[in-house]
Amino acid sequence: MAAFALSDGQRETLRALCDTVISRLSEEEVAETLRIPLADVDPEHVKAFCKTRGSDLGVPEAVEAALATHLPADIQRELSILLTAMGTRLGMLVLTGFASSFAALTPEQREQAVTGLRTSAISTKRKAFMSLKSLIALKTMGLDWSKTNPLNHGKEASSIWAALGYEGPAPHAEI
């Protein structure tokens, strides 16, 4: 059996999807977020979190690796077909009503497209979206990006975790 790997087109679509689910906020949105009082959270971590996209962290690569190593072949095939469809004008027209590949859409159109998948009356569309969104969120929140996130505030703590008030997992010595 051949090893699972995405095509360049599927990777482009996955990268755009990761950057839609974990998107960079505008300066106005960051300022609005920082006006919310957060106890025991460094505002610099919140700012770094708000300015980070999924691709800044390497989430698309982490998702592809998880697809290849942890999912059964039938799920790999389904998600591969979905990414292929989202990379084409016809596929996107059928899935979302937009006649452009997902990666070619504006950020606002991408949000509309994923909202359409999330709220679709067709359960297969909802399931496909939730599968990818869950995997993207898991890889974003489940890995320590403190050393690799170019927008991280310092190197001692992950800004993604710190912005959410999470200190990270206990060191192995404490377990």
Side-chain angles (χ1 to χ4, degrees):
M1 183 165 122
F4 177 83
L6 295 177
S7 69
D8 289 342
Q10 290 169 325
R11 283 188 189 101
E12 179 182 32
T13 300
L14 179 59
R15 177 174 295 281
L17 191 55
C18 289
D19 287 348
T20 302
V21 173
I22 308 298
S23 60
R24 179 177 290 154
L25 300 182
S26 69
E27 291 299 324
E28 296 80 27
E29 291 168 320
V30 172
E32 184 178 324
T33 301
L34 290 172
R35 283 194 285 274
I36 300 168
L38 300 169
D40 301 326
V41 175
D42 182 343
E44 291 302 315
H45 284 303
V46 174
K47 190 183 298 182
F49 175 68
C50 290
K51 292 184 172 197
T52 301
R53 295 178 306 186
S55 61
D56 293 332
L57 302 173
V59 172
E61 294 82 4
V63 168
E64 182 175 359
L67 288 172
T69 58
H70 299 298
L71 295 179
D74 60 327
I75 303 297
Q76 289 174 344
R77 189 172 39 261
E78 287 176 12
L79 292 176
S80 181
I81 290 168
L82 175 65
L83 290 171
T84 298
M86 291 179 75
T88 66
R89 292 177 56 180
L90 181 58
M92 280 296 291
L93 184 61
V94 170
L95 287 168
T96 67
F98 287 98
S100 183
S101 70
F102 187 78
L105 297 175
T106 66
E108 294 79 18
Q109 290 172 323
R110 288 180 187 174
E111 286 185 32
Q112 291 173 359
V114 297
T115 297
L117 291 173
R118 181 180 56 83
T119 60
S120 175
I122 300 170
S123 65
T124 306
K125 287 184 183 183
R126 291 192 313 271
K127 177 185 168 193
F129 168 73
M130 288 306 297
S131 295
L132 278 173
K133 179 184 155 200
S134 297
L135 191 52
I136 291 166
L138 176 68
K139 290 302 173 185
T140 301
M141 301 303 173
L143 298 174
D144 182 1
W145 300 105
S146 60
K147 308 288 187 282
T148 56
N149 181 358
L151 300 168
N152 202 69
H153 176 62
K155 296 293 181 198
E156 67 284 344
S158 168
S159 288
I160 303 294
W161 290 345
L164 300 171
Y166 177 58
E167 295 177 10
H172 289 295
E174 293 180 22
I175 298 176

